[in-house]
């Protein structure tokens, strides 16, 4: 409109002069001869008019451009905050976590003669940590190769996190964002040759007791060994050698007479050396099994996919002809768990989720995904992106909307996720220990609340300890692991130079597709059939 007005004014001015010339050229000439000074004044006036008209046009055009730029900036910011918005919550867009860990080197706990042997102290057995690694690595060769790395060009070094797609009112809530993965060959080549350093802690063993006794009202379960408050507090004092409760307390071989029992033939398979494993679980027939996609032939040949199920889920899968005698469903090798330790199926699911290092004592790296998720990116590329490239040993995405444990607790109570009194007790307990609401003052920590459905980790003593202590909190308090995560993380980080890589939730949604639980899917199908 501004440009149009300027154009009309210019055409009107020159149009009047043209009409005068056509109606009386002689009169105009006489006027020029007799009133030359006036003619020159008129020309000057016209020049000034033309100049100011152009000036006004340019100014208005600049104003228009500024308005357009401001509108585009507002649209970008709106789209950015829409990216992680769901159920009325907004992501505050805190910066991505700073990475802390150093590069890999020879770790003393994989060298011969460094493992603790099983022993008994006052009737309580001490179970050594894995591993068979010392027989797979030659110590002298490791020392000779220390520090040598293959130089690879990083195709993602110039990757810039792009703006989110334009807002779509039909699809509110969190969405995936672009993630730069290196080609598969480079991802495999970037796998560390040797274990990462485990700060301070080098030898980790576990308590085992045939008949653990409860000594306190809130001591967890028999499967967890009923650790006392003193034992709990002592377990957060990081030392070079430690013995902690870590589930499976009724035996030194997890899965044999410990609760969460597994067939010996399956256990022997779990105990084999593996560079990388992928694991998931479905308990209480709670989810539909989902097949991974975009998995390379390299991963299909070298990375086993294990799905833990209970007997209820096994019965359903056999009756529906999903599970045969070979225990293989697509890429998933089915591991049936008997004598589950808890009556709550979701709590049973926390055992493999948090204690994979005990079920797979000779695995180097693992990717855990909840049963409701479908993996759609190759495991090697995920590990390279979220562990190896960041020099991290434990990675988990932060919650899409909530950064504060108190807000997470309130949301759990509002949604009926757990008994409200138990949630209140847990939060009050943590408050007495110093838990405070999340603020930017905690940076570079970016969140106190994870979206715990995916965990990516390297199995070294410090990450194994973290997993044990996190499980112990879930066993002692509520099964809502988001509530206890930051307490364990911060207590460990206060003792040693170790941090968790908490990446964006939209990055997680790039490599897994989230689905509904079975009960909701069946409800949706029932409603659809009722309408037809």
């Amino acid at each position: 409109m501004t440009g149009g007005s300027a154009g009309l004014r210019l055409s009107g001015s020159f149009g009047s002069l043209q009409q005068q010339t056509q109606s009386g050229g002689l009169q105009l000439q006489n006027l020029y001869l007799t009133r030359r000074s006036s003619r020159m004044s008129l020309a000057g006036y016209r020049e000034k008019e033309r100049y100011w008209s152009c000036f006004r046009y340019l100014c208005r055009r600049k104003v228009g451009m500024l308005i357009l730029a401001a509108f585009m900036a507002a649209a970008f910011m709106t789209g950015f905050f829409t990216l992680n918005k769901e159920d009325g919550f907004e992501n505050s867009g805190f910066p991505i976590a700073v990475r802390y860990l150093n590069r890999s080197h020879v770790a003393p706990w994989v060298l011969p003669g460094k493992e603790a042997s099983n022993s008994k102290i006052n009737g309580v057995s001490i179970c050594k940590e894995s591993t068979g690694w010392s027989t797979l690595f030659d110590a002298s060769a490791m020392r000779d190769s220390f520090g040598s790395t293959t130089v690879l060009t990083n195709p993602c070094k110039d990757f810039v996190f792009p703006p989110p797609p334009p807002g779509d009112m039909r699809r509110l809530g969190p969405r995936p964002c672009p993630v730069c993965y290196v080609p598969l060959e480079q991802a495999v080549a970037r796998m560390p040759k040797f274990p990462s350093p485990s700060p301070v802690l080098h030898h980790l063993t576990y308590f085992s007791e045939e008949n653990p006794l409860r000594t306190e009202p809130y001591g967890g379960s028999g499967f967890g060994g009923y650790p006392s408050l003193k034992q709990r507090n002592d377990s957060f004092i990081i030392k070079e050698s430690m013995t902690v409760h870590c589930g499976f307390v009724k035996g030194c071989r997890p899965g044999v007479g410990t609760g969460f029992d597994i067939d010996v033939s399956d256990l022997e398979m779990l105990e084999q050396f593996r560079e990388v494993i992928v694991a998931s679980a479905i308990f209480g027939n709670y989810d539909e099994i989902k097949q991974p996609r975009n998995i390379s032939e390299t991963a299909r040949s070298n990375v086993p996919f294990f799905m833990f199920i209970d007997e209820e889920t096994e019965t359903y899968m056999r009756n529906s002809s999903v599970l045969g005698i070979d225990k293989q469903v697509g890429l998933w090798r089915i591991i049936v768990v008997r004598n589950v330790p808890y009556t709550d199926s979701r709590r049973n699911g926390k055992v493999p989720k948090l204690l994979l290092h005990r079920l797979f004592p000779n695995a180097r790296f693992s990717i855990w995904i909840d049963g409701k998720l479908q993996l759609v990116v190759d495991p090697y590329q995920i590990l390279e992106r979220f562990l190896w490239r960041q020099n991290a040993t434990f990675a988990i995405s932060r919650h899409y909307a909530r950064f504060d444990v108190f807000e997470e607790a309130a949301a759990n109570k509002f949604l009926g996720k757990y008994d409200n009194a138990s949630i209140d007790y847990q939060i009050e307990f943590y408050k007495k220990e110093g838990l405070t609401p999340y603020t930017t003052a905690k940076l570079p920590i970016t969140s106190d609340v994870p979206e715990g459905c995916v965990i990516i980790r390297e199995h070294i003593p410090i990450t194994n300890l973290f997993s044990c202590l996190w499980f112990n909190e879930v066993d002692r308090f509520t099964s809502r692991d988001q509530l206890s995560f930051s307490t364990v993380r911060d207590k460990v980080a206060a003792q040693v130079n170790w941090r968790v890589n908490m990446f964006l939730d939209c990055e997680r949604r790039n490599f897994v597709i989230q689905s509904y639980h079975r009960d909701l899917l069946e409800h949706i199908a029932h409603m659809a059939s009722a309408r037809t």
Side-chain angles (χ1 to χ4, degrees):
M1 183 173 181
T2 302
S5 300
L8 286 174
R9 282 195 295 272
L10 288 171
S11 65
S13 174
F14 286 105
S16 300
L17 178 60
Q18 188 178 12
Q19 289 176 1
Q20 291 177 16
T21 304
Q22 291 174 350
S23 61
L26 182 59
Q27 183 178 0
L28 181 60
Q29 184 180 5
N30 291 337
L31 180 63
Y32 176 80
L33 292 175
T34 57
R35 301 182 63 182
R36 184 173 181 179
S37 58
S38 299
R39 173 72 174 82
M40 293 179 65
S41 299
L42 180 61
Y45 172 78
R46 289 169 179 162
E47 289 297 328
K48 290 180 180 180
E49 178 69 17
R50 184 181 304 155
Y51 171 79
W52 286 109
S53 297
C54 292
F55 179 76
R56 287 192 295 268
Y57 173 76
L58 290 174
C59 288
R60 289 167 181 169
R61 185 176 181 183
K62 287 182 179 179
V63 171
M65 292 297 291
L66 288 173
I67 294 173
L68 180 60
F71 176 77
M72 292 176 65
F76 170 80
M77 294 304 294
T78 301
F80 179 80
F81 286 109
T82 302
L83 179 66
N84 283 331
K85 180 180 178 182
E86 183 174 288
D87 296 334
F89 294 100
E90 291 188 356
N91 191 325
S92 300
F94 294 119
I96 298 175
V98 178
R99 322 303 182 189
Y100 292 89
L101 295 177
N102 299 322
R103 61 187 175 86
S104 301
H105 69 270
V106 180
W109 57 89
V110 302
L111 301 180
K114 291 295 184 180
E115 294 181 353
S117 60
N118 293 353
S119 60
K120 282 193 174 184
I121 300 176
N122 296 328
V124 178
S125 297
I126 306 300
C127 302
K128 68 180 180 180
E129 191 185 27
S130 53
T131 71
W133 290 10
S134 58
T135 62
L136 298 166
F137 294 113
D138 180 75
S140 61
M142 291 169 66
R143 283 194 293 269
D144 294 339
S145 302
F146 172 63
S148 62
T149 57
T150 303
V151 178
L152 296 172
T153 302
N154 184 2
C156 295
K157 66 177 182 177
D158 297 323
F159 176 75
V160 178
F161 195 80
D168 185 352
M169 295 303 294
R170 295 170 299 178
R171 189 182 179 188
L172 298 176
R175 286 174 280 172
C177 54
V179 175
C180 183
Y181 303 101
V182 300
L184 176 69
E185 296 76 11
Q186 288 198 27
V188 174
R190 289 172 187 271
M191 179 187 295
K193 295 181 180 178
F194 312 117
S196 298
S198 177
V200 180
L201 176 63
H202 293 165
H203 314 297
L204 183 63
T205 55
Y206 310 109
F207 285 114
S208 176
E209 190 173 2
E210 203 168 305
N211 296 298
L213 298 176
R214 183 191 295 272
T215 59
E216 298 171 355
Y218 293 95
S221 69
F223 178 77
Y226 304 117
S228 66
L229 276 176
K230 183 181 184 307
Q231 289 174 319
R232 172 191 179 269
N233 296 335
D234 288 345
S235 67
F236 288 110
I237 302 173
I238 313 300
K239 297 174 289 189
E240 183 178 359
S241 296
M242 296 182 64
T243 301
V244 298
H245 287 84
C246 195
F248 305 104
V249 296
K250 294 182 180 180
C252 283
R253 191 181 187 188
V256 178
T258 60
F260 208 86
D261 295 335
I262 297 171
D263 292 345
V264 173
S265 60
D266 288 336
L267 273 180
E268 290 174 351
M269 181 172 50
L270 301 185
E271 292 169 355
Q272 294 176 15
F273 175 78
R274 311 279 188 181
E275 290 278 4
V276 177
I277 62 106
V278 176
S280 185
I282 299 175
F283 289 99
N285 197 29
Y286 206 57
D287 293 294
E288 297 278 0
I289 194 166
K290 301 167 185 64
Q291 289 302 321
R293 294 192 288 110
N294 305 319
I295 307 302
S296 66
E297 287 302 320
T298 302
R300 288 173 182 267
S301 301
N302 297 285
V303 178
F305 291 72
F306 294 101
M307 175 69 71
F308 294 89
I309 65 172
D310 59 2
E311 293 176 276
E312 178 184 350
T313 308
E314 178 193 22
T315 300
Y316 174 85
M317 292 175 68
R318 291 197 184 281
N319 290 341
S320 57
S321 301
V322 174
L323 181 62
I325 58 174
D326 62 352
K327 297 184 179 180
Q328 197 75 28
V329 179
L331 279 180
W332 294 106
R333 167 68 181 196
I334 305 301
I335 306 296
V336 180
V337 178
R338 311 189 191 283
N339 190 24
V340 290
Y342 305 105
T343 57
D344 179 6
S345 296
R346 294 195 180 188
R347 191 183 287 273
N348 286 322
K350 307 301 180 183
V351 176
K353 175 178 179 176
L354 300 180
L355 302 183
L356 277 182
H357 63 285
R358 299 219 60 189
L359 293 166
F360 298 90
N362 296 305
R364 290 192 65 197
F365 301 96
S366 67
I367 300 174
W368 167 268
I369 63 172
D370 279 3
K372 64 183 178 182
L373 302 178
Q374 180 186 30
L375 191 69
V376 294
V377 172
D378 192 87
Y380 288 111
Q381 292 175 303
I382 295 172
L383 285 163
E384 190 282 330
R385 171 62 185 83
F386 297 102
L387 281 193
W388 306 334
R389 195 187 307 176
Q390 312 299 334
N391 287 327
T393 58
F394 197 102
I396 191 170
S397 67
R398 63 200 194 198
H399 196 275
Y400 60 86
R402 295 185 287 279
F403 300 86
D404 182 82
V405 176
F406 296 92
E407 292 181 1
E408 179 66 18
N412 275 258
K413 291 165 61 177
F414 177 77
L415 297 172
K417 296 287 188 179
Y418 207 84
D419 173 64
N420 287 2
S422 299
I423 293 176
D424 289 337
Y425 176 83
Q426 183 174 6
I427 296 302
E428 287 301 316
F429 185 94
Y430 290 157
K431 280 177 64 178
K432 293 176 182 177
E433 288 195 323
L435 176 68
T436 59
Y438 181 82
T439 67
T440 53
K442 292 188 177 183
L443 290 172
I445 293 173
T446 55
S447 175
D448 282 346
V449 181
E451 182 58 69
C453 53
V454 171
I455 300 176
I456 309 166
R457 72 195 111 179
E458 180 180 0
H459 294 197
I460 59 174
I462 194 65
T463 60
N464 294 346
L465 173 67
F466 174 80
S467 299
C468 289
L469 301 184
W470 191 9
F471 173 81
N472 291 344
E473 296 298 290
V474 170
D475 184 58
R476 176 180 289 271
F477 297 108
T478 72
S479 63
R480 305 305 297 171
D481 50 37
Q482 296 97 329
L483 301 180
S484 52
F485 168 81
S486 65
T487 291
V488 179
R489 177 201 63 190
D490 294 348
K491 285 179 178 290
V492 173
Q495 294 275 318
V496 299
N497 183 25
W498 178 81
R499 296 292 184 272
V500 174
N501 173 17
M502 294 192 74
F503 54 92
L504 293 171
D505 181 65
C506 66
E507 294 177 292
R508 174 188 66 83
R509 293 172 186 269
N510 179 280
F511 63 85
V512 290
I513 296 176
Q514 192 159 319
S515 181
Y516 296 113
H517 293 299
R518 182 191 299 279
D519 55 351
L520 186 54
L521 289 172
E522 292 176 349
H523 177 71
I524 293 172
H526 176 74
M527 295 296 292
S529 61
R531 285 195 296 266
T532 57

